[in-house]
Amino acid sequence: MGNSKSGAVSKEILDDLKLNTKFTETEIVQWYENFKKQCPTGRISKDEFQNIYKKFFPDSDANTYAQHVFRSFDTNDDGTLDFKEYIIALHMTSTGKTTSKLEWAFSLFDVDKNGYITKSEVTEICSSIFKLIPKDEVPDLPDDENTPEKRADKLWKAFNKEENGEMMESFHCFVI
């Protein structure tokens, strides 16, 4: 990761992030300084990540969704997010190209990381998202989307998939 003696982001990571994100060198350095303040070890654990989500959703159960998001960001499957994974995820989900966002969405829904999305995986993600919705807002949802199962059914039908079908790893499957 960064040069641990100076606390600065390494030139290799800086160059890679400048090439693969829309962030400037100044922005990356600022992100790195903030990241190191919040995560002195240079890594974010799943528990720390869940705690961050809890702050954004204090009146909801954010744990399950945070676990899925964390899994999709932890590209090397080491159980932590390093600075590079963190910035790539931030870029992808905020300022990245549509194809990058679709690829990330696919990785979020591909719970078992087998390259396919099943209806049960869609239902699992919808269930975790529903836990983020404050209970007093659920009655305001449209009738065809007021449960995780109904929302998953609606999404699955939008993908034009059979009940027991699968979607292959390709962001093109999201283009409707």
Side-chain angles (χ1 to χ4, degrees):
M1 200 164 89
N3 179 342
S4 59
K5 291 181 182 168
S6 70
V9 64
S10 73
K11 181 174 177 4
E12 178 185 336
I13 290 175
L14 184 61
D15 289 345
D16 188 43
L17 291 174
K18 284 184 347 190
L19 182 66
N20 292 299
T21 71
K22 292 183 179 182
F23 299 129
T24 66
E25 182 170 334
T26 302
E27 290 171 323
I28 294 167
V29 168
Q30 288 173 340
W31 278 109
Y32 184 76
E33 289 170 2
N34 287 330
F35 183 86
K36 286 298 283 185
K37 284 179 191 170
Q38 298 297 317
C39 307
T41 64
R43 299 192 167 279
I44 300 173
S45 70
K46 188 187 314 183
D47 289 340
E48 291 167 324
F49 191 80
Q50 286 176 293
N51 287 332
I52 293 168
Y53 261 75
K54 285 178 189 176
K55 290 176 185 173
F56 285 109
F57 299 96
D59 300 325
S60 303
D61 177 3
N63 282 338
T64 308
Y65 186 69
Q67 288 174 12
H68 288 299
V69 173
F70 183 89
R71 172 190 41 78
S72 71
F73 289 168
D74 183 16
T75 55
N76 64 0
D77 291 324
D78 71 351
T80 64
L81 298 181
D82 62 22
F83 178 69
K84 186 175 175 183
E85 287 171 313
Y86 175 75
I87 291 298
I88 295 289
L90 180 68
H91 166 73
M92 219 176 9
T93 58
S94 61
T95 62
K97 294 179 180 179
T98 301
T99 54
S100 296
K101 290 177 184 178
L102 290 171
E103 288 168 350
W104 172 74
F106 188 95
S107 73
L108 178 68
F109 279 86
D110 185 14
V111 174
D112 62 8
K113 295 185 174 190
N114 70 350
Y116 296 90
I117 297 174
T118 63
K119 187 173 179 194
S120 67
E121 288 172 316
V122 172
T123 303
E124 184 173 337
I125 298 300
C126 287
S127 294
S128 69
I129 292 170
F130 261 73
K131 291 178 181 178
L132 299 175
I133 302 170
K135 295 198 184 313
D136 62 335
E137 293 181 22
V138 172
D140 297 333
L141 295 173
D143 286 341
D144 63 340
E145 296 182 11
N146 62 4
T147 70
E149 296 76 18
K150 287 180 183 179
R151 182 62 179 145
D153 285 343
K154 190 172 181 179
L155 282 171
W156 201 247
K157 286 176 185 161
F159 296 141
N160 292 317
K161 293 293 172 186
E162 296 294 325
E163 189 68 25
N164 61 351
E166 297 175 327
M167 285 186 284
M168 286 182 36
E169 183 173 14
S170 169
F171 62 86
H172 298 294
C173 67
F174 284 101
V175 181
I176 300 169

